[in-house]
């Protein structure tokens, strides 16, 4: 018995259980208070509600013409070939890519300059300028079609992709400037001041110190500008008249006839239009969420 007590005394004491973290307590409380089916059932219903339209579009795009099957088999690419070659979707795709990339570059560059000015400088009309930026978000783009058309007509830019790029950039700048300004405010001014002390000018200090920290914000603003320009229908319809200048949204509209609609071709065109957007969001999802959340917080 003495040996057993001695052996028990030499055994190491059991490790103390660490206190549960706040996240662990919340999860344990959630698991104990709410059945899992009440969480997963609404999520599954929402996912089903979201994915069914996409499946329906793929179904019409991939199954043969005249088929009523609920499963696209045998799979055919005749609808894609028809819209790409016969309906000039290759040209529409190229024009939409030019407009989207150009709007992305112009919006990001101008918003970066404007956002830095609002974040780092104090001037007399700063509050009024911010109020004007916010108020501009309540103006529908349709109200500006007539004056914009007259301006581009006088500049001889009608039926030019440049007119659509300028219009898209102008209407996306207010929100982009606000987001970039909020993101720059979260970067400490002391970082720039240290670069100034080391002999850097303001531009060099901005490019070397601040700009690398703005990557999530720039990706968020750029992706928003690209997707908006890619999907926008109104400006391209009003400012572009010839078929070789039209973009994908206008091209999709041409597939809807007065008496009939080619559902297979329309679905194939919708898939072509959705692919670049899906790819963009698939690659930049993390940066997009970080950029929008950081730009919405005042530093």
């Amino acid at each position: 018995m003495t040996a057993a007590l001695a052996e028990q005394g030499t055994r190491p004491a059991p490790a103390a259980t660490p206190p549960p973290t706040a996240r662990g307590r919340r999860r344990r409380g959630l698991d104990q208070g709410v059945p899992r089916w009440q969480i997963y059932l609404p999520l599954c219903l929402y996912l089903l509600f979201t994915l069914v339209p996409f499946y329906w579009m793929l179904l019409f795009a991939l199954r043969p013409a005249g088929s009523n099957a609920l499963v696209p088999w045998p799979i055919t690419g005749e609808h894609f070939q028809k819209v790409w070659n016969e309906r000039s979707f290759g040209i529409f795709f190229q024009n939409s890519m030019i407009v989207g990339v150009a709007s992305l570059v112009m919006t990001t560059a101008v918003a970066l300059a404007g956002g830095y000015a609002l974040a780092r400088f104090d001037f007399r009309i700063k509050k009024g300028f911010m109020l004007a930026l916010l108020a501009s978000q309540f103006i529908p783009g349709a109200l500006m079609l007539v004056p914009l058309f007259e301006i581009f007509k006088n500049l001889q830019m009608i039926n030019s992709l440049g007119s659509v790029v300028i219009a898209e950039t102008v209407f996306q700048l207010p929100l982009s400037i606000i987001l970039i300004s909020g993101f720059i405010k979260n970067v400490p001014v002391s970082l720039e001041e240290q670069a100034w002390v080391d002999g850097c000018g303001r531009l060099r200090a901005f490019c070397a110190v601040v700009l690398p920290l703005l990557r999530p914000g720039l990706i968020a603003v750029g992706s928003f500008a690209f997707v908006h320009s890619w999907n926008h229908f109104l400006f391209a319809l009003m400012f572009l008249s010839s078929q070789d200048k039209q973009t994908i949204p206008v091209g999709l509209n041409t597939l809807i006839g007065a008496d009939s609609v080619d559902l297979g071709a329309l679905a194939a065109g919708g898939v072509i239009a959705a692919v670049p957007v899906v790819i963009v969001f698939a690659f930049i999802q993390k940066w997009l969420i970080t950029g929008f959340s950081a730009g919405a917080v005042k530093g």
Side-chain angles (χ1 to χ4, degrees), residues 5-287:
L5 291 176
E7 182 180 358
Q8 184 178 3
T10 57
R11 291 177 182 177
T17 304
T21 60
R23 182 177 179 181
R25 288 194 298 268
R26 288 197 302 267
R27 181 162 183 169
R28 185 173 59 184
L30 181 63
D31 292 342
Q32 293 177 356
V34 180
R36 289 185 176 273
W37 68 268
Q38 294 185 10
I39 301 174
Y40 292 125
L41 181 60
L43 292 178
C44 292
L45 292 176
Y46 176 76
L47 184 63
L48 183 66
F49 179 78
T50 304
L51 294 181
V52 164
F54 289 97
Y55 176 76
W56 206 252
M57 182 173 63
L58 287 173
L59 178 65
F60 277 92
L62 296 177
R63 74 184 183 183
S67 175
N68 295 323
L70 295 179
V71 178
W73 189 262
I75 295 176
T76 180
E78 59 180 346
H79 301 303
F80 291 95
Q81 183 179 3
K82 180 179 180 180
V83 298
W84 191 265
N85 297 326
E86 299 179 13
R87 298 290 186 150
S88 304
F89 257 68
I91 299 175
F92 300 157
F93 189 91
Q94 179 181 355
N95 294 336
S96 292
M97 190 64 66
I98 293 174
V99 171
V101 173
S103 300
L104 183 155
V105 173
M106 292 183 60
T107 302
T108 304
V110 179
L112 189 60
Y116 184 83
L118 290 176
R120 290 293 190 255
F121 298 102
D122 291 324
F123 46 93
R124 183 173 300 177
I125 61 172
K126 181 177 179 178
K127 292 184 179 180
F129 184 73
M130 287 290 295
L131 181 61
L133 289 179
L134 294 173
S136 65
Q137 299 301 298
F138 298 97
I139 301 176
L143 295 180
M144 305 301 295
L145 284 178
V146 174
L148 284 176
F149 187 88
E150 290 295 326
I151 292 173
F152 292 139
K153 180 180 178 181
N154 294 331
L155 295 176
Q156 298 182 355
M157 295 184 65
I158 295 297
N159 197 30
S160 171
L161 295 178
S163 60
V164 181
V165 171
I166 294 175
E168 294 288 351
T169 302
V170 168
F171 275 87
Q172 295 173 49
L173 273 179
L175 180 60
S176 301
I177 291 176
I178 293 173
L179 288 174
I180 291 292
S181 173
F183 200 85
I184 293 176
K185 288 179 181 178
N186 291 331
V187 179
V189 184
S190 58
L191 297 178
E192 289 184 84
E193 293 175 346
Q194 292 175 7
W196 298 343
V197 171
D198 292 336
C200 295
R202 182 177 290 273
L203 179 60
R204 184 179 177 184
F206 173 78
C207 295
V209 177
V210 181
L211 191 59
L213 300 177
L214 299 181
R215 182 168 55 178
L218 294 178
I219 292 176
V221 170
S223 60
F224 179 80
F226 176 82
V227 173
H228 186 274
S229 302
W230 181 271
N231 294 326
H232 205 192
F233 171 77
L234 194 58
F235 291 152
L237 178 66
M238 292 299 299
F239 302 147
L240 304 175
S241 55
S242 61
Q243 185 176 359
D244 61 336
K245 297 291 185 180
Q246 292 174 351
T247 58
I248 280 185
V250 181
L252 288 173
N253 185 59
T254 60
L255 298 177
I256 303 176
D259 301 324
S260 62
V261 179
D262 190 347
L263 294 178
L266 186 62
V271 173
I272 295 174
V275 165
V277 178
V278 172
I279 293 176
V280 168
F281 278 101
F283 279 98
I284 66 170
Q285 180 181 6
K286 179 180 69 173
W287 299 107

